[in-house]
Amino acid sequence: MWQRTPRILVVGGGHVGMFAALRLQRRLRRGEARVTVADLDSYMTYQPFLPEAAAGNIEPRHVVVFLRRVLPSCEVLSGRVENVHLGSRTARFQPAAGPARHLEYDYLVFSPGSISRTLPIPGLAQCGIGFKTLEEAIHLRNRVIAQLDLAVSTTDERVRRRALTFLFVGGGYAGVEALAELEDMAADACRYFPGVARRDMRWTLVEATGRILPEVSPEMGRWTAQQLRRRGIEVRLGTRLESAVDHHIILSDGDEFDAGTLVWTAGVKPHPLCASGDLPLDEKGRVKVDPFLTVEGTRFAFAAGDCAAVPDLTRPGETTPPNAQHAVRQAARLADNLLATLRGGCRRPYAHRDTGSVASLGRYRGVANVRGHELRGYPAWLLHRAYHLSKVPTLDKKSRVLADWVMGFFFRREIVPLGAMQDPRQEFEYAARTARQEAAERVLARPGIRTG
Protein backbone atom coordinates (compact mmCIF):
# COMPACT_ATOMS: atom_id res chain seq x y z
CA MET A 1 0.00 0.00 0.00
CA TRP A 2 1.31 3.46 -0.92
CA GLN A 3 2.43 5.64 1.99
CA ARG A 4 2.98 9.37 1.93
CA THR A 5 6.51 10.59 2.66
CA PRO A 6 6.62 12.13 6.17
CA ARG A 7 7.19 15.89 6.23
CA ILE A 8 9.56 17.51 8.73
CA LEU A 9 9.17 21.25 9.21
CA VAL A 10 12.08 23.15 10.74
CA VAL A 11 11.03 26.60 11.96
CA GLY A 12 14.12 28.81 12.24
CA GLY A 13 17.49 28.59 10.50
CA GLY A 14 19.73 29.57 13.40
CA HIS A 15 22.10 27.38 15.40
CA VAL A 16 19.49 24.76 16.30
CA GLY A 17 17.55 24.84 13.04
CA MET A 18 20.50 24.69 10.67
CA PHE A 19 22.52 22.10 12.61
CA ALA A 20 19.46 19.90 13.15
CA ALA A 21 18.53 20.07 9.45
CA LEU A 22 22.13 19.35 8.49
CA ARG A 23 22.20 16.26 10.68
CA LEU A 24 18.85 15.07 9.35
CA GLN A 25 20.04 15.62 5.79
CA ARG A 26 23.06 13.40 6.42
CA ARG A 27 21.25 10.61 8.27
CA LEU A 28 17.89 10.28 6.54
CA ARG A 29 17.60 7.43 4.08
CA ARG A 30 16.51 8.17 0.53
CA GLY A 31 12.78 8.89 0.48
CA GLU A 32 12.45 8.43 4.25
CA ALA A 33 11.29 11.98 4.93
CA ARG A 34 11.17 15.42 3.36
CA VAL A 35 12.70 18.35 5.29
CA THR A 36 11.55 21.97 4.92
CA VAL A 37 13.39 24.84 6.62
CA ALA A 38 11.46 28.11 6.99
CA ASP A 39 13.06 31.34 8.20
CA LEU A 40 13.01 35.05 7.45
CA ASP A 41 16.69 34.92 6.45
CA SER A 42 18.19 32.35 4.12
CA TYR A 43 21.40 32.21 6.13
CA MET A 44 22.62 31.27 9.60
CA THR A 45 24.71 33.77 11.57
CA TYR A 46 27.49 32.48 13.82
CA GLN A 47 26.79 35.02 16.56
CA PRO A 48 29.95 34.53 18.70
CA PHE A 49 31.91 36.17 15.87
CA LEU A 50 29.70 39.26 15.58
CA PRO A 51 32.01 41.40 17.78
CA GLU A 52 35.01 40.59 15.58
CA ALA A 53 32.98 41.23 12.44
CA ALA A 54 31.93 44.61 13.85
CA ALA A 55 35.56 45.45 14.69
CA GLY A 56 36.81 44.56 11.21
CA ASN A 57 38.84 41.50 12.28
CA ILE A 58 36.61 39.19 10.22
CA GLU A 59 34.88 39.87 6.92
CA PRO A 60 31.12 39.97 7.72
CA ARG A 61 30.27 37.50 4.94
CA HIS A 62 32.49 34.93 6.63
CA VAL A 63 30.34 34.69 9.77
CA VAL A 64 27.18 33.67 7.90
CA VAL A 65 26.32 30.37 6.23
CA PHE A 66 24.02 30.26 3.21
CA LEU A 67 21.34 27.68 4.02
CA ARG A 68 20.66 26.72 0.42
CA ARG A 69 24.32 25.83 -0.03
CA VAL A 70 24.74 23.60 3.04
CA LEU A 71 21.23 22.09 2.85
CA PRO A 72 20.87 21.09 -0.81
CA SER A 73 18.59 18.15 0.04
CA CYS A 74 16.19 20.33 2.06
CA GLU A 75 13.52 22.73 0.90
CA VAL A 76 14.42 26.24 2.14
CA LEU A 77 11.63 28.84 2.33
CA SER A 78 12.47 32.50 2.95
CA GLY A 79 9.73 34.41 4.73
CA ARG A 80 8.05 34.88 8.08
CA VAL A 81 6.37 32.04 9.97
CA GLU A 82 3.39 33.76 11.58
CA ASN A 83 2.04 30.95 13.75
CA VAL A 84 2.51 27.27 14.49
CA HIS A 85 -0.31 24.95 15.58
CA LEU A 86 0.23 21.52 17.08
CA GLY A 87 -3.43 20.51 16.94
CA SER A 88 -3.73 20.81 13.17
CA ARG A 89 -0.03 20.24 12.51
CA THR A 90 0.16 23.33 10.32
CA ALA A 91 2.13 26.57 10.24
CA ARG A 92 1.13 29.79 8.50
CA PHE A 93 3.97 31.06 6.31
CA GLN A 94 4.14 34.52 4.73
CA PRO A 95 6.74 35.04 1.96
CA ALA A 96 8.15 38.49 1.22
CA ALA A 97 5.52 39.01 -1.46
CA GLY A 98 2.37 37.24 -2.50
CA PRO A 99 -0.24 35.33 -0.54
CA ALA A 100 0.42 33.43 2.68
CA ARG A 101 0.39 29.66 2.64
CA HIS A 102 -0.12 26.89 5.17
CA LEU A 103 2.68 24.39 5.66
CA GLU A 104 1.56 20.96 6.79
CA TYR A 105 3.95 18.77 8.73
CA ASP A 106 4.19 15.38 10.41
CA TYR A 107 7.17 16.28 12.59
CA LEU A 108 8.12 19.73 13.87
CA VAL A 109 11.48 21.21 14.85
CA PHE A 110 10.65 24.51 16.57
CA SER A 111 13.70 26.77 16.92
CA PRO A 112 13.00 30.44 16.12
CA GLY A 113 15.51 31.55 18.76
CA SER A 114 15.20 34.77 20.74
CA ILE A 115 15.02 38.54 20.39
CA SER A 116 16.44 41.37 22.50
CA ARG A 117 14.67 41.88 25.82
CA THR A 118 13.90 45.57 26.10
CA LEU A 119 12.29 47.69 28.79
CA PRO A 120 9.84 50.62 28.48
CA ILE A 121 12.61 53.18 28.92
CA PRO A 122 11.85 56.59 27.34
CA GLY A 123 13.85 57.06 24.14
CA LEU A 124 15.31 53.53 24.05
CA ALA A 125 13.28 52.34 21.05
CA GLN A 126 14.15 55.49 19.08
CA CYS A 127 17.87 55.77 19.93
CA GLY A 128 19.08 52.29 20.84
CA ILE A 129 20.27 49.33 18.79
CA GLY A 130 20.81 45.69 19.72
CA PHE A 131 23.68 43.35 18.98
CA LYS A 132 22.17 40.05 17.85
CA THR A 133 22.31 40.19 14.06
CA LEU A 134 24.92 40.77 11.38
CA GLU A 135 23.03 43.82 10.21
CA GLU A 136 23.30 45.35 13.68
CA ALA A 137 27.02 44.56 13.86
CA ILE A 138 27.70 46.21 10.50
CA HIS A 139 25.57 49.21 11.46
CA LEU A 140 27.52 49.67 14.70
CA ARG A 141 30.83 49.53 12.87
CA ASN A 142 29.61 52.18 10.42
CA ARG A 143 28.15 54.18 13.29
CA VAL A 144 31.36 54.30 15.32
CA ILE A 145 33.48 55.38 12.34
CA ALA A 146 30.84 57.90 11.24
CA GLN A 147 30.92 59.42 14.74
CA LEU A 148 34.69 59.82 14.48
CA ASP A 149 34.17 61.50 11.09
CA LEU A 150 31.65 63.85 12.66
CA ALA A 151 33.98 64.68 15.56
CA VAL A 152 36.76 65.91 13.26
CA SER A 153 34.35 67.72 10.92
CA THR A 154 32.30 69.80 13.36
CA THR A 155 33.24 73.04 15.09
CA ASP A 156 30.54 72.60 17.75
CA GLU A 157 32.15 71.22 20.91
CA ARG A 158 28.83 69.88 22.20
CA VAL A 159 28.25 67.92 18.98
CA ARG A 160 31.81 66.61 19.10
CA ARG A 161 31.50 65.47 22.72
CA ARG A 162 28.21 63.72 21.99
CA ALA A 163 29.65 61.98 18.91
CA LEU A 164 32.58 60.61 20.90
CA THR A 165 30.39 59.18 23.68
CA PHE A 166 29.37 55.52 23.44
CA LEU A 167 27.07 53.78 25.94
CA PHE A 168 26.56 50.01 26.25
CA VAL A 169 23.82 48.66 28.53
CA GLY A 170 24.23 45.07 29.71
CA GLY A 171 27.33 43.41 31.18
CA GLY A 172 26.96 39.89 29.79
CA TYR A 173 29.16 38.37 27.14
CA ALA A 174 27.45 40.18 24.27
CA GLY A 175 27.83 43.63 25.83
CA VAL A 176 31.38 43.20 27.11
CA GLU A 177 32.71 41.66 23.90
CA ALA A 178 30.97 44.18 21.63
CA LEU A 179 32.21 47.14 23.67
CA ALA A 180 35.77 45.80 24.00
CA GLU A 181 36.15 45.02 20.29
CA LEU A 182 34.61 48.29 19.06
CA GLU A 183 36.63 50.40 21.53
CA ASP A 184 39.77 48.62 20.36
CA MET A 185 38.85 49.34 16.72
CA ALA A 186 38.06 52.99 17.45
CA ALA A 187 41.37 53.46 19.29
CA ASP A 188 43.17 51.93 16.31
CA ALA A 189 41.26 54.23 13.94
CA CYS A 190 42.29 57.42 15.74
CA ARG A 191 45.50 57.57 13.69
CA TYR A 192 43.36 58.48 10.68
CA PHE A 193 41.36 61.20 12.47
CA PRO A 194 43.52 64.24 13.31
CA GLY A 195 42.58 65.80 16.61
CA VAL A 196 40.88 62.70 18.01
CA ALA A 197 42.79 60.62 20.57
CA ARG A 198 41.76 57.61 22.58
CA ARG A 199 41.38 59.74 25.70
CA ASP A 200 38.88 62.01 23.90
CA MET A 201 36.38 59.17 23.57
CA ARG A 202 34.06 58.16 26.38
CA TRP A 203 33.05 54.51 26.52
CA THR A 204 30.65 53.48 29.28
CA LEU A 205 29.31 50.07 30.30
CA VAL A 206 26.20 50.08 32.49
CA GLU A 207 25.13 46.94 34.36
CA ALA A 208 22.17 46.74 36.70
CA THR A 209 23.65 43.98 38.88
CA GLY A 210 26.80 44.05 40.96
CA ARG A 211 29.07 42.23 38.48
CA ILE A 212 29.78 41.70 34.81
CA LEU A 213 30.24 38.40 32.96
CA PRO A 214 28.06 36.28 35.27
CA GLU A 215 29.12 33.21 33.24
CA VAL A 216 32.58 33.26 34.86
CA SER A 217 33.67 33.40 38.49
CA PRO A 218 33.23 36.65 40.47
CA GLU A 219 37.03 37.02 40.58
CA MET A 220 37.30 36.79 36.80
CA GLY A 221 34.46 39.28 36.46
CA ARG A 222 36.28 41.74 38.71
CA TRP A 223 39.51 41.21 36.75
CA THR A 224 37.69 41.92 33.49
CA ALA A 225 36.21 45.12 34.93
CA GLN A 226 39.68 46.22 36.03
CA GLN A 227 41.10 45.57 32.57
CA LEU A 228 38.36 47.61 30.95
CA ARG A 229 38.88 50.47 33.39
CA ARG A 230 42.62 50.48 32.66
CA ARG A 231 41.72 51.16 29.03
CA GLY A 232 39.68 54.19 30.12
CA ILE A 233 36.32 52.46 29.87
CA GLU A 234 33.81 53.35 32.58
CA VAL A 235 32.23 50.29 34.19
CA ARG A 236 29.20 51.21 36.26
CA LEU A 237 27.75 48.40 38.33
CA GLY A 238 24.40 48.52 40.12
CA THR A 239 23.30 51.20 37.66
CA ARG A 240 20.30 51.34 35.32
CA LEU A 241 19.40 53.38 32.28
CA GLU A 242 16.46 55.63 33.16
CA SER A 243 16.00 57.66 29.97
CA ALA A 244 17.54 58.14 26.51
CA VAL A 245 15.24 60.72 24.92
CA ASP A 246 17.00 62.49 22.03
CA HIS A 247 20.23 60.67 22.98
CA HIS A 248 20.30 62.46 26.34
CA ILE A 249 21.23 59.74 28.82
CA ILE A 250 19.95 59.69 32.40
CA LEU A 251 21.30 56.96 34.69
CA SER A 252 19.90 55.76 37.99
CA ASP A 253 22.96 57.10 39.86
CA GLY A 254 22.01 60.64 38.83
CA ASP A 255 24.56 61.12 36.06
CA GLU A 256 23.38 62.76 32.82
CA PHE A 257 25.18 63.14 29.49
CA ASP A 258 24.62 62.99 25.73
CA ALA A 259 25.66 59.83 23.86
CA GLY A 260 25.68 59.56 20.09
CA THR A 261 25.61 55.76 20.26
CA LEU A 262 23.48 53.59 22.56
CA VAL A 263 23.82 49.79 22.39
CA TRP A 264 21.35 47.59 24.29
CA THR A 265 22.60 44.10 25.21
CA ALA A 266 20.67 43.57 28.45
CA GLY A 267 19.47 40.05 27.82
CA VAL A 268 17.15 38.20 25.46
CA LYS A 269 13.63 36.79 25.54
CA PRO A 270 11.95 33.98 23.57
CA HIS A 271 10.82 34.80 20.04
CA PRO A 272 7.20 36.10 19.92
CA LEU A 273 6.36 33.20 17.61
CA CYS A 274 6.34 30.97 20.70
CA ALA A 275 3.06 32.55 21.81
CA SER A 276 1.42 32.67 18.38
CA GLY A 277 -0.14 29.20 18.43
CA ASP A 278 -0.94 26.43 20.86
CA LEU A 279 2.57 25.59 22.09
CA PRO A 280 2.81 24.97 25.87
CA LEU A 281 4.79 27.78 27.51
CA ASP A 282 6.43 28.31 30.90
CA GLU A 283 6.30 31.49 32.98
CA LYS A 284 9.12 33.04 30.91
CA GLY A 285 7.38 32.42 27.60
CA ARG A 286 9.62 29.49 26.61
CA VAL A 287 8.29 26.29 25.06
CA LYS A 288 8.04 23.47 27.59
CA VAL A 289 10.05 20.41 26.58
CA ASP A 290 11.07 17.20 28.33
CA PRO A 291 14.67 15.91 28.63
CA PHE A 292 14.26 14.31 25.18
CA LEU A 293 13.64 17.80 23.69
CA THR A 294 10.06 16.77 22.86
CA VAL A 295 7.38 19.43 23.31
CA GLU A 296 5.26 18.51 26.31
CA GLY A 297 2.12 16.58 25.39
CA THR A 298 3.38 15.49 21.97
CA ARG A 299 5.50 12.80 20.33
CA PHE A 300 6.04 14.59 17.03
CA ALA A 301 7.14 18.12 17.99
CA PHE A 302 10.63 19.06 19.19
CA ALA A 303 12.11 22.34 20.40
CA ALA A 304 15.53 23.52 21.58
CA GLY A 305 17.73 26.59 21.89
CA ASP A 306 16.84 30.01 23.28
CA CYS A 307 13.10 29.52 22.76
CA ALA A 308 12.86 26.32 24.81
CA ALA A 309 12.96 25.57 28.54
CA VAL A 310 15.32 22.58 28.30
CA PRO A 311 15.76 20.77 31.65
CA ASP A 312 19.39 20.75 32.79
CA LEU A 313 19.95 17.19 33.97
CA THR A 314 23.34 18.15 35.43
CA ARG A 315 21.62 20.72 37.69
CA PRO A 316 18.22 19.36 38.73
CA GLY A 317 15.47 21.96 38.81
CA GLU A 318 17.24 24.36 36.43
CA THR A 319 17.19 24.86 32.65
CA THR A 320 20.14 25.11 30.28
CA PRO A 321 21.41 28.64 29.58
CA PRO A 322 20.68 30.23 26.19
CA ASN A 323 24.10 30.04 24.54
CA ALA A 324 25.59 28.69 21.33
CA GLN A 325 27.38 25.84 23.10
CA HIS A 326 24.12 24.26 24.26
CA ALA A 327 22.25 25.11 21.05
CA VAL A 328 24.66 23.18 18.83
CA ARG A 329 24.66 20.12 21.09
CA GLN A 330 20.89 20.22 21.53
CA ALA A 331 20.49 20.32 17.75
CA ALA A 332 22.37 17.03 17.39
CA ARG A 333 20.38 15.30 20.14
CA LEU A 334 17.11 16.67 18.76
CA ALA A 335 17.83 15.36 15.25
CA ASP A 336 18.78 11.93 16.60
CA ASN A 337 15.64 11.72 18.75
CA LEU A 338 13.45 12.78 15.82
CA LEU A 339 14.98 10.02 13.70
CA ALA A 340 14.46 7.53 16.53
CA THR A 341 10.80 8.55 16.74
CA LEU A 342 10.40 8.29 12.98
CA ARG A 343 11.91 4.80 12.96
CA GLY A 344 10.31 3.55 16.18
CA GLY A 345 13.61 3.50 18.08
CA CYS A 346 14.68 4.68 21.52
CA ARG A 347 15.26 8.33 22.29
CA ARG A 348 18.01 9.62 24.55
CA PRO A 349 17.82 12.56 26.97
CA TYR A 350 19.91 15.66 26.49
CA ALA A 351 22.57 15.89 29.18
CA HIS A 352 25.63 18.05 28.73
CA ARG A 353 27.77 19.67 31.38
CA ASP A 354 28.86 23.18 30.48
CA THR A 355 32.56 22.97 29.56
CA GLY A 356 33.16 26.64 30.30
CA SER A 357 33.10 30.05 28.67
CA VAL A 358 35.50 32.17 26.64
CA ALA A 359 35.35 35.86 25.76
CA SER A 360 37.45 38.26 23.73
CA LEU A 361 38.29 41.71 25.12
CA GLY A 362 39.87 43.07 21.96
CA ARG A 363 43.04 42.06 20.16
CA TYR A 364 45.33 39.82 22.22
CA ARG A 365 43.14 40.13 25.33
CA GLY A 366 40.56 37.71 26.64
CA VAL A 367 39.13 35.83 29.59
CA ALA A 368 38.23 32.13 29.83
CA ASN A 369 36.88 29.63 32.33
CA VAL A 370 37.28 26.07 31.01
CA ARG A 371 36.45 23.09 33.22
CA GLY A 372 37.33 25.06 36.35
CA HIS A 373 40.58 26.44 34.94
CA GLU A 374 40.74 30.21 34.55
CA LEU A 375 42.83 31.94 31.87
CA ARG A 376 43.44 35.61 31.30
CA GLY A 377 45.00 37.83 28.67
CA TYR A 378 46.69 36.41 25.58
CA PRO A 379 46.21 32.66 26.35
CA ALA A 380 42.47 33.22 26.87
CA TRP A 381 42.27 35.21 23.63
CA LEU A 382 43.95 32.38 21.72
CA LEU A 383 41.63 29.82 23.31
CA HIS A 384 38.62 31.95 22.39
CA ARG A 385 39.65 31.97 18.74
CA ALA A 386 40.57 28.29 18.64
CA TYR A 387 37.32 27.16 20.26
CA HIS A 388 35.01 29.19 18.06
CA LEU A 389 36.95 28.41 14.90
CA SER A 390 36.35 24.72 15.60
CA LYS A 391 32.60 25.37 15.92
CA VAL A 392 32.11 27.44 12.76
CA PRO A 393 30.13 25.30 10.30
CA THR A 394 31.73 24.15 7.03
CA LEU A 395 35.39 23.92 6.11
CA ASP A 396 34.92 26.81 3.70
CA LYS A 397 33.96 29.24 6.48
CA LYS A 398 36.67 27.96 8.82
CA SER A 399 39.27 28.59 6.13
CA ARG A 400 38.01 32.08 5.36
CA VAL A 401 37.91 33.13 9.02
CA LEU A 402 41.41 31.75 9.58
CA ALA A 403 42.65 33.63 6.49
CA ASP A 404 41.17 36.87 7.89
CA TRP A 405 43.07 36.35 11.14
CA VAL A 406 46.34 35.56 9.38
CA MET A 407 46.03 38.69 7.23
CA GLY A 408 45.37 40.67 10.39
CA PHE A 409 48.81 39.78 11.72
CA PHE A 410 50.52 41.36 8.73
CA PHE A 411 48.26 44.27 7.80
CA ARG A 412 46.26 46.88 9.67
CA ARG A 413 42.53 46.40 9.83
CA GLU A 414 40.35 48.19 7.29
CA ILE A 415 38.81 51.37 8.67
CA VAL A 416 36.18 52.05 6.02
CA PRO A 417 32.67 53.25 6.91
CA LEU A 418 30.16 51.92 4.41
CA GLY A 419 27.31 54.00 5.74
CA ALA A 420 25.54 54.12 2.37
CA MET A 421 24.84 50.41 2.74
CA GLN A 422 22.34 51.28 5.49
CA ASP A 423 20.27 53.33 3.01
CA PRO A 424 21.40 52.48 -0.53
CA ARG A 425 18.60 54.53 -2.16
CA GLN A 426 19.64 57.77 -0.47
CA GLU A 427 21.90 58.95 -3.32
CA PHE A 428 19.36 58.05 -6.00
CA GLU A 429 16.53 59.79 -4.13
CA TYR A 430 18.73 62.89 -3.81
CA ALA A 431 19.36 62.81 -7.57
CA ALA A 432 15.62 62.44 -8.24
CA ARG A 433 14.79 65.41 -5.97
CA THR A 434 17.42 67.51 -7.69
CA ALA A 435 15.99 66.61 -11.11
CA ARG A 436 12.49 67.64 -10.01
CA GLN A 437 13.78 70.94 -8.64
CA GLU A 438 15.68 71.68 -11.86
CA ALA A 439 12.58 70.89 -13.94
CA ALA A 440 10.48 73.24 -11.81
CA GLU A 441 13.07 76.01 -12.15
CA ARG A 442 13.08 75.62 -15.95
CA VAL A 443 9.29 75.94 -16.05
CA LEU A 444 9.36 79.06 -13.91
CA ALA A 445 12.12 80.54 -16.07
CA ARG A 446 10.00 80.36 -19.26
CA PRO A 447 8.81 83.69 -20.70
CA GLY A 448 5.34 84.62 -19.58
CA ILE A 449 5.50 82.64 -16.32
CA ARG A 450 4.79 84.85 -13.36
CA THR A 451 5.57 84.03 -9.73
CA GLY A 452 4.26 85.44 -6.51
Side-chain angles (χ1 to χ4, degrees):
M1 183 178 178
W2 177 83
Q3 291 184 344
R4 181 174 55 82
T5 302
R7 296 159 298 188
I8 301 173
L9 175 62
V10 180
V11 177
H15 281 78
V16 173
M18 192 209 74
F19 280 105
L22 189 62
R23 196 173 183 91
L24 289 171
Q25 175 181 264
R26 291 170 177 169
R27 301 197 171 192
L28 281 169
R29 306 183 187 111
R30 182 183 296 273
E32 188 175 17
R34 185 177 47 159
V35 180
T36 297
V37 180
D39 195 2
L40 187 61
D41 297 318
S42 60
Y43 57 84
M44 187 277 278
T45 303
Y46 190 72
Q47 291 184 342
F49 276 155
L50 286 182
E52 290 209 55
N57 298 330
I58 300 176
E59 165 64 36
R61 292 174 301 169
H62 298 167
V63 303
V64 295
V65 179
F66 189 40
L67 295 178
R68 298 182 186 277
R69 180 175 182 180
V70 299
L71 300 173
S73 299
C74 302
E75 179 187 24
V76 178
L77 301 178
S78 296
R80 188 180 299 279
V81 178
E82 297 182 337
N83 57 57
V84 175
H85 290 280
L86 301 178
S88 61
R89 297 199 187 189
T90 61
R92 179 181 170 86
F93 174 78
Q94 177 63 62
R101 53 188 286 200
H102 284 85
L103 305 177
E104 297 181 349
Y105 61 84
D106 298 290
Y107 297 93
L108 173 69
V109 176
F110 188 78
S111 56
S114 60
I115 62 173
S116 295
R117 183 186 66 222
T118 60
L119 299 174
I121 298 173
L124 176 61
Q126 293 73 33
C127 302
I129 184 173
F131 198 78
K132 279 184 61 64
T133 68
L134 183 63
E135 293 81 2
E136 289 173 330
I138 294 174
H139 172 81
L140 277 173
R141 170 183 169 80
N142 293 336
R143 176 74 180 182
V144 170
I145 300 175
Q147 294 299 92
L148 296 179
D149 270 325
L150 175 59
V152 300
S153 303
T154 185
T155 56
D156 189 320
E157 182 58 33
R158 181 175 175 272
V159 172
R160 170 187 165 90
R161 187 165 55 250
R162 171 173 164 167
L164 295 179
T165 301
F166 307 88
L167 175 66
F168 286 69
V169 181
Y173 267 119
V176 170
E177 285 194 314
L179 182 150
E181 290 284 359
L182 285 168
E183 190 275 340
D184 190 51
M185 180 201 72
D188 195 26
C190 284
R191 62 166 60 94
Y192 306 112
F193 295 89
V196 176
R198 190 172 196 166
R199 62 179 178 275
D200 297 327
M201 296 184 289
R202 180 180 182 182
W203 295 79
T204 303
L205 176 65
V206 170
E207 168 55 43
T209 66
R211 56 175 295 197
I212 62 173
L213 296 183
E215 299 87 349
V216 300
S217 67
E219 180 184 353
M220 292 293 283
R222 286 191 294 270
W223 180 85
T224 302
Q226 292 173 0
Q227 294 301 306
L228 295 177
R229 288 177 175 131
R230 287 179 182 176
R231 290 163 55 176
I233 299 172
E234 299 178 32
V235 179
R236 300 194 175 195
L237 303 178
T239 306
R240 299 181 308 278
L241 174 66
E242 298 286 349
S243 176
V245 177
D246 294 329
H247 287 275
H248 181 70
I249 305 301
I250 301 177
L251 301 179
S252 61
D253 61 5
D255 194 12
E256 297 186 29
F257 56 89
D258 289 341
T261 304
L262 168 59
V263 184
W264 180 269
T265 61
V268 297
K269 64 180 180 181
H271 196 283
L273 183 59
C274 295
S276 67
D278 56 358
L279 294 162
L281 306 179
D282 70 354
E283 67 282 356
K284 295 183 179 180
R286 300 173 298 179
V287 178
K288 293 181 180 180
V289 299
D290 60 22
F292 303 98
L293 304 180
T294 308
V295 176
E296 284 190 1
T298 74
R299 289 280 295 178
F300 60 88
F302 299 80
D306 294 0
C307 70
V310 180
D312 191 341
L313 299 184
T314 65
R315 296 180 299 175
E318 298 185 30
T319 56
T320 58
N323 58 39
Q325 180 184 152
H326 280 288
V328 173
R329 288 173 169 81
Q330 288 170 8
R333 175 58 55 217
L334 184 154
D336 290 346
N337 284 345
L338 193 156
L339 286 172
T341 302
L342 178 66
R343 296 168 181 171
C346 295
R347 300 171 301 161
R348 295 174 56 189
Y350 173 76
H352 170 70
R353 188 177 299 277
D354 200 329
T355 57
S357 304
V358 290
S360 172
L361 302 178
R363 278 191 174 182
Y364 314 124
R365 295 179 288 261
V367 60
N369 186 349
V370 182
R371 298 188 184 279
H373 300 285
E374 297 181 344
L375 297 174
R376 306 173 182 177
Y378 187 72
W381 177 78
L382 278 179
L383 183 61
H384 169 270
R385 286 197 158 186
Y387 172 78
H388 285 300
L389 182 65
S390 70
K391 299 302 179 183
V392 173
T394 79
L395 178 61
D396 172 64
K397 293 301 179 182
K398 295 180 193 293
S399 301
R400 293 180 186 274
V401 169
L402 184 59
D404 288 339
W405 286 341
V406 172
M407 294 293 287
F409 279 110
F410 298 101
F411 302 98
R412 291 174 177 171
R413 76 177 97 204
E414 286 285 350
I415 307 295
V416 181
L418 299 176
M421 293 179 65
Q422 310 296 136
D423 187 6
R425 283 181 45 81
Q426 181 178 8
E427 186 67 22
F428 185 78
E429 290 173 350
Y430 172 74
R433 281 198 309 272
T434 303
R436 289 196 298 269
Q437 292 172 358
E438 291 175 349
E441 291 173 357
R442 286 196 296 269
V443 170
L444 293 175
R446 291 175 185 174
I449 301 294
R450 295 183 179 181
T451 61

